[in-house]
Amino acid sequence: MAFFESMLTLLLVAIVFLQFSRKFRIPYPTMLAIAGIIVAAVPWAPEVAIDPQLALALLIAPVLFDAAYDLPPRTLRRNWLPLFSLAAIAVILTAVAVAAVAMTTAGLPLAAALALGAIVAPPDAAAATAMLDRFDLPRQTYVVLKGESLLNDAVALLIFSAAVAAASSPAFFSGALAQLALAVPGGILLGYLLGRLYMVVGVKLAGTLGGTLLEFVATFGAWIIAERLHLSAILTIVVYAMVIARYMPERQSARHRIHSYSVWEAAVFLLNVLAFLLMGLQVRQIVVDIDPGRLDFAITLAMAVFVTVIVVRLIWVLLYNRAITYLAARGRTKQAVPTFATSLLAGWCGMRGLVTLATALALPIDFHDRDIILLSALAVVLGTLIVQGLTLGPLIRFLKFDPDTSLDRDLTKARIALIDAALAELDGEDKSTRILREVYTSEREIAVDGKHPREVSRLDKQRRNIITAKRRKLAVMRRAGEIDDDVFHTLEQELDWAELAVLPPGRDEIVES
């Protein structure tokens, strides 16, 4: 009961701080990081420990699934070079650079230093997109930064797994490397097979609460099965999610999709909140227990790691800009050439978040210099979220990007095609067909102008006004006792769905930042 009360208290603190996030337009991960530190500084803060293996499965598996679900393979193919540059090369360079700093300044063993490098290497997409969503940025830059998060998580976690295995097994390079070489293709194959299996079972449960629960059970189950088979759980989840995202939405009802997406959004957000608060409490205990002389040493290392991760990413992104510009000028690549402004933005979008926190918590309790590594990880998360997170907006405004209207053009083209399909389906001359044809013809004229029909349609505005009037009448009938609560809730749900159908785009989303 004490643990449950502690978690409720921590969540309440996070909710309060998130109100400041919306009011002052600060990325919500930054506010969560500050909330974690404040909770940890309170003298009566609870001591909450989490099993390392549970931390990795509980906090990482759903986040990987959520990110992979939103990244189709064609996006990987189209942007393979910038994604490979950021998600693989930048992560490896950062991990190696941090490991070198940890070995030279703190004397950490190679495996422990590399584990620290892998923990702090991957930037967090949630932290970046919480800020980037507010600005009109080049579409290509936005897609690459979101896609990077999935792949860099996978690369960093593979390095982390190898480093932890090397630290615990002196014979790692003779046996575990061969096992890791089998784990990568095995994890990919297992993810594909589990994804196909889920589609068979999931379709039968689609639209039920059991189906929503199955989504979580199957995701965690895929991770656990891969772990039991000594395959790459990371790649298993990534491939599993991509298979489901490719085929499953077409087999689900609209209601199931709306319900499923909202549940996943809330679950991933809850995991973000818990990870920041748990990490803050863990570091509090470390600071209390650590020797004062060693604490100064640990803080020095943390600051050195923080500077290293920022500098390495920024230098590499700018070098990539020069290299791709050089190759494009000589006709050796067909990849789009990023401008200096977009490269500078991508280099500065290096905020660390949930993956760094969860991976640090996943370190074995007896891991070499675990306390120093945890402190360094939290310093990097806090430093990047506060320094980069709070300066990202001013940087975007200073760079003055040209408006990118490619997404609006593609939406307009697709919207007109859908309306044409609706008009083609309206055969006959009965009264209802004529009314619908007039409605869709009017919507097509609005769409051709590049606007969304529900934004300017007088008919949809009248529908919204009518729904509002119905809600008022329904509330009056309930308060007067004319209808029972079961009737009220049934009609309330019908009005909710009707309102979703006539709301302008963006007005039906639940956001935290």
Side-chain angles (χ1 to χ4, degrees), residues 65 68-72 199 239-250 261:
F65 177 90
Y69 194 91
D70 294 332
L71 187 67
M199 287 168 53
V239 175
Y240 166 76
M242 285 185 169
V243 170
I244 294 176
R246 173 65 181 85
Y247 300 104
M248 195 65 183
E250 299 175 359
Y261 293 168

Side-chain angles (χ1 to χ4, degrees), residues 26-111:
I26 299 172
Y28 79 81
T30 301
M31 294 307 300
L32 289 179
I34 296 173
I37 291 301
I38 291 178
V39 168
V42 174
W44 58 85
E47 293 185 16
V48 180
I50 184 170
D51 180 79
Q53 288 186 329
L54 174 61
L56 206 58
L58 177 64
L59 300 176
I60 293 295
V63 173
L64 275 181
F65 177 90
D66 190 56
Y69 194 91
D70 294 332
L71 187 67
R74 63 175 175 272
T75 300
L76 298 179
R77 291 193 299 268
R78 189 182 304 129
N79 303 286
W80 71 270
L81 188 56
L83 286 174
F84 179 78
S85 167
L86 290 173
I89 300 179
V91 167
I92 293 172
L93 288 176
T94 302
V96 171
V98 169
V101 169
M103 292 173 65
T104 55
T105 62
L108 265 64
L110 174 60

Side-chain angles (χ1 to χ4, degrees), residues 54-337:
L54 174 61
L56 206 58
L58 177 64
L59 300 176
I60 293 295
V63 173
L64 275 181
F65 177 90
D66 190 56
Y69 194 91
D70 294 332
L71 187 67
R74 63 175 175 272
T75 300
L76 298 179
R77 291 193 299 268
R78 189 182 304 129
N79 303 286
W80 71 270
L81 188 56
L83 286 174
F84 179 78
S85 167
L86 290 173
I89 300 179
V91 167
I92 293 172
L93 288 176
T94 302
V96 171
V98 169
V101 169
M103 292 173 65
T104 55
T105 62
L108 265 64
L110 174 60
L114 197 57
L116 172 59
I119 289 171
V120 300
D124 180 41
T129 54
M131 176 61 75
L132 297 179
D133 281 340
R134 303 171 182 173
F135 297 93
D136 187 11
L137 294 174
R139 186 180 177 187
Q140 178 77 4
T141 303
Y142 186 80
V143 169
V144 169
L145 288 175
K146 287 196 70 175
E148 172 203 3
S149 67
L150 169 64
L151 300 178
N152 65 22
D153 292 349
V155 173
L157 288 169
L158 286 173
I159 298 173
F160 173 79
S161 301
V164 172
S168 60
S169 173
F172 170 76
F173 291 100
S174 60
L177 272 180
Q179 182 179 342
L180 187 63
L182 177 64
V184 170
I188 294 173
L189 178 60
L190 178 63
Y192 177 80
L193 294 176
L194 291 177
R196 302 297 296 191
L197 176 62
Y198 175 84
M199 287 168 53
V200 175
V201 180
V203 169
K204 300 182 183 299
L205 296 178
T208 66
L209 291 177
T212 302
L213 290 177
L214 179 64
E215 294 175 9
F216 288 93
V217 172
T219 300
F220 289 119
W223 181 282
I224 293 171
I225 292 171
E227 287 283 313
R228 291 285 188 267
L229 296 177
H230 302 290
L231 302 177
S232 172
I234 301 130
L235 293 177
T236 298
I237 292 294
V238 169
V239 175
Y240 166 76
M242 285 185 169
V243 170
I244 294 176
R246 173 65 181 85
Y247 300 104
M248 195 65 183
E250 299 175 359
R251 308 181 184 190
Q252 294 173 322
S253 66
R255 179 167 184 168
H256 181 80
R257 281 194 302 274
I258 293 173
H259 178 71
S260 175
Y261 293 168
S262 62
V263 169
W264 270 96
E265 201 167 352
V268 171
F269 182 74
L270 173 63
L271 293 176
N272 265 281
V273 173
L274 288 178
F276 278 100
L277 298 178
L278 286 172
M279 187 67 171
L281 294 176
Q282 292 270 304
V283 173
R284 175 183 184 272
Q285 196 60 39
I286 290 170
V287 172
V288 169
D289 295 341
I290 200 169
D291 181 80
R294 187 175 169 82
L295 179 60
D296 294 338
F297 162 77
I299 293 175
T300 302
L301 173 62
M303 293 301 101
V305 172
F306 165 64
V307 173
T308 301
V309 297
I310 290 181
V311 171
V312 169
R313 178 181 174 89
L314 195 56
I315 290 177
W316 170 248
V317 171
L318 295 178
L319 285 175
Y320 170 82
N321 174 277
R322 294 298 88 204
I324 200 70
T325 302
Y326 174 84
L327 293 174
R330 283 155 180 76
R332 297 181 183 178
T333 180
K334 295 182 180 179
Q335 288 286 325
V337 179

Side-chain angles (χ1 to χ4, degrees), residues 372-429:
I372 293 179
I373 293 175
L374 281 175
L375 194 61
S376 298
L378 184 64
V380 169
V381 172
L382 283 174
T384 55
L385 284 176
I386 293 173
V387 175
Q388 293 181 309
L390 296 181
T391 57
L392 193 59
L395 176 64
I396 292 173
R397 286 187 286 268
F398 174 76
L399 294 175
K400 295 180 180 178
F401 291 100
D402 294 330
D404 186 347
T405 60
S406 61
L407 178 61
D408 293 334
R409 289 197 305 270
D410 290 348
L411 284 172
T412 297
K413 183 178 178 181
R415 193 172 289 131
I416 292 173
L418 294 180
I419 294 174
D420 286 341
L423 288 170
E425 186 69 18
L426 293 173
D427 296 328
E429 292 298 331

